[in-house]
Structure formats: C-alpha cells, structure tokens
Amino acid sequence: MTNLFKMQSATYFLVFSALLAVVIKLTHQHRILTWLCACAFWVSWKGCVRAFAPELEHVCGRPLGLRFDKKTGDPYIADAYFGLMVVGPSGGLAALVANEAEGEPFRLTNDLDIDESEDVIYFTDSSTTFHRSLFSVMSIDASRSYLSLRIGVSRQFLNACLSGDKTGRLMKYDKSSKGGKFLLRGLAFANGGPDAGKLDTFAELPGFPDNIRRNSRGEFGVALHTKKGPVARFLLSNSLIGNFALRLPISFQQLHSLFVGGKADATAVKLGKEGEILEVVEDTEGKTVQFISEVEERGNKLWIASVMRPFIAIYDLDQTTHSLEL
C-alpha cells in the first residue's frame, strides 16, 4: 500500500543531508514530527483529518481499544502505535498516558479495560516483535518545487499470527501512582485480558476473537475476525508452515484472503457468565459487514465495527426480522 506525500517548501521547514532512519514522534500538541535522517530533516503534519486513511495510520495513530472512565467521563484509548492515551470528556486532542512499563516500550497496544473501584487500567500489548504495520520510504523525488516521498506500508499483525509469535503481554496501569507493570508475558497476540491474578480458558470459539465487551447483564459480546477454516488451521498447525506462507511472493491482501479462505464474513457471539454460547449473529456471505473487530450492546442495539473496513453497523435486537444498518 502506498501514498504520495507532497510537502511544499514554503509550508515546511526542511533541512536535508542524508536519509538514514525513520522514527515517528508525537509532540504534546499532537503534531506529528517525522525524523527522516540522522542529521536534520523535519516534516510537520498538523492534519491527519481524513476519516479513513490506512496508509497514514503509523503517522496519525490507530486506536484499537476504547473505554470510558465512568467516574470522570474520560475515554481511554489503546493506540497501536502510541500506547495508552486519554481524551477529556469534552473531546479534543489525545494525551499520552503511558508508552512503556518497567522500562520496556510498547509495540502493538491493542485493548484495555478499566477497574473504577481500584482506579487501574488493564491493557494488552500484542507483540514485542511486530508492529501493526511496517513503514518504509520507497522513493524520493526532489526535482520539483516540492519534495515527494513514496511511502510503503506493510501490515504485520498477520505475521504475528502465522509466525507463532508469543511475545504478547498483559499490563496494569495505576492511575494514582502513574506507574505500569507487567502481569503476564508470553501471550499469543494478546487482545483483551483475564481476571486479575488468574489465567484460565473462558470459552472455546470457532474463529479468531477480536475484542470482548460486557453488557449490562454481565454477558459478553465477542467479535470474530473470521472463522477457522481448513486453510487457517493448516497455516497455524506449525510455525514453519506459517513462516513459509509469510515468505510467499504475494501481497498482504492476497495472504489475508488465503488465510480467511477467500471469504469475507462476519460473526458475533454472545457468551454467558460461565463462557457458554448464548447467541450467534452472522453475516455468512459478508454482504453487509465483514471482518468485524468489536460488538457493543447498548439500548437493545448491537453496535458493530471493523478493524479492516470503514464502517459502523447497527443491529436491532428487538426486531422480529433483523437487519443491519450502516
């Protein structure tokens, strides 16, 4: 996936010597400063205003988890690139809460939950090996009145699954002491977390869960990115097979299509308090929604989102004939 950035010299301050490294930094004003060489080459983006720009997510951020603190009304965000962040109850720019724990930086912050009684936040880092995506500069054109950079982005979350990576972590952040610590390590693509102090199998599901949300009755809604088809089972049966698939000369989109069996479907599962399956909602042909990543039940409606598609869908739980509204 590529994007052409055009930065007019009259707008940006550029001092160029040699392109040696790429580091993304977030300032306290939420301006993005991209360091593109070891000497001096700064480019400032104050924008990041497009609603859907997957090629810019490593620059603008990519929220993967969101929870509201019921005491303060503040929404806390698990951002894949920037770590744990918070926004005030009236909105505005996100502020950094934590991007490391015990001196170790986060790499793929994924989801969170808040314990208001203890004033702590539990959240996950899915891998210490892989980012959500890998950013690279493919070409530079300085022959015109502006500088053009051709940017390449390759998604890496599938690498974490197929390679057998088990470097995910569960963390705890204490809001009063403003300190974080690791509770569990060695997790396979951690996304969500167990009860504090305990590790157990809560439920066995027929697919790949992506986020879990509790409703007002204490039941759990789980979004399945896709079901476990024969191809996915084969690719995950051995890390050697998965790593071989990652080396195939095909694009991320082609590899993902292979992984899901060429089928874009959607499945949401409701679990009881003991992990039993209570209800399943499916779009088996993916005609309306695909690759869902979260289901949130509010006011007898199921709000559905996707990590790969730009939509919010609403499923009415009260209607006799159910339909999805985008």
Side-chain angles (χ1 to χ4, degrees), residues 284-303:
T284 55
E285 298 182 4
K287 290 183 176 180
T288 307
V289 294
Q290 311 88 29
F291 306 127
I292 65 174
S293 61
E294 185 168 339
V295 288
E296 182 87 33
E297 186 178 338
R298 286 290 184 273
N300 292 323
K301 293 183 183 296
L302 206 59
W303 294 74

Side-chain angles (χ1 to χ4, degrees), residues 306-318:
S306 170
V307 75
M308 297 186 69
R309 297 286 191 266
F311 70 79
I312 295 292
I314 302 173
Y315 182 79
D316 195 332
L317 297 170
D318 285 337

Side-chain angles (χ1 to χ4, degrees), residues 254-282:
Q254 292 170 321
L255 180 59
H256 182 265
S257 179
L258 178 66
F259 183 75
V260 302
K263 189 176 182 181
D265 57 10
T267 305
V269 180
K270 181 188 289 187
L271 301 175
K273 297 179 181 180
E274 302 299 323
E276 70 277 17
I277 294 178
L278 301 178
E279 187 177 357
V280 177
V281 176
E282 293 184 275

Side-chain angles (χ1 to χ4, degrees), residues 113-147:
D113 207 349
I114 300 175
D115 185 345
E116 284 90 0
S117 62
E118 298 292 331
D119 214 26
V120 298
I121 302 171
Y122 296 95
F123 60 108
T124 53
D125 189 35
S126 292
S127 175
T128 62
T129 306
F130 298 101
H131 287 292
R132 175 176 152 79
S133 65
L134 184 64
F135 167 73
S136 62
V137 177
M138 299 176 66
S139 64
I140 300 176
D141 182 4
S143 62
R144 309 178 209 179
S145 60
Y146 54 81
L147 179 70

Side-chain angles (χ1 to χ4, degrees), residues 24-45:
I24 307 289
K25 292 188 177 180
L26 180 68
T27 71
H28 67 284
Q29 296 176 328
H30 210 265
R31 292 182 304 139
I32 304 300
L33 297 177
T34 305
W35 175 251
L36 291 177
C37 83
C39 299
F41 183 81
W42 290 96
V43 181
S44 176
W45 279 284

Side-chain angles (χ1 to χ4, degrees), residues 1-72:
M1 189 176 296
T2 62
N3 186 51
L4 188 67
F5 294 101
K6 296 183 178 179
M7 294 151 286
Q8 298 182 7
S9 56
T11 306
Y12 303 104
F13 172 70
L14 304 177
V15 181
F16 179 82
S17 61
L19 184 64
L20 298 177
V22 177
V23 178
I24 307 289
K25 292 188 177 180
L26 180 68
T27 71
H28 67 284
Q29 296 176 328
H30 210 265
R31 292 182 304 139
I32 304 300
L33 297 177
T34 305
W35 175 251
L36 291 177
C37 83
C39 299
F41 183 81
W42 290 96
V43 181
S44 176
W45 279 284
K46 297 181 182 178
C48 295
V49 295
R50 288 165 53 192
F52 182 67
E55 74 280 5
L56 284 176
E57 66 177 42
H58 57 288
V59 177
C60 302
R62 181 59 167 89
L64 294 179
L66 174 68
R67 287 289 196 281
F68 282 88
D69 186 325
K70 296 178 181 177
K71 291 182 179 179
T72 64

Side-chain angles (χ1 to χ4, degrees), residues 81-103:
Y81 301 92
F82 298 131
L84 187 63
M85 309 189 79
V86 66
V87 178
S90 299
L93 300 178
L96 180 66
V97 176
N99 57 10
E100 60 87 22
E102 299 177 11

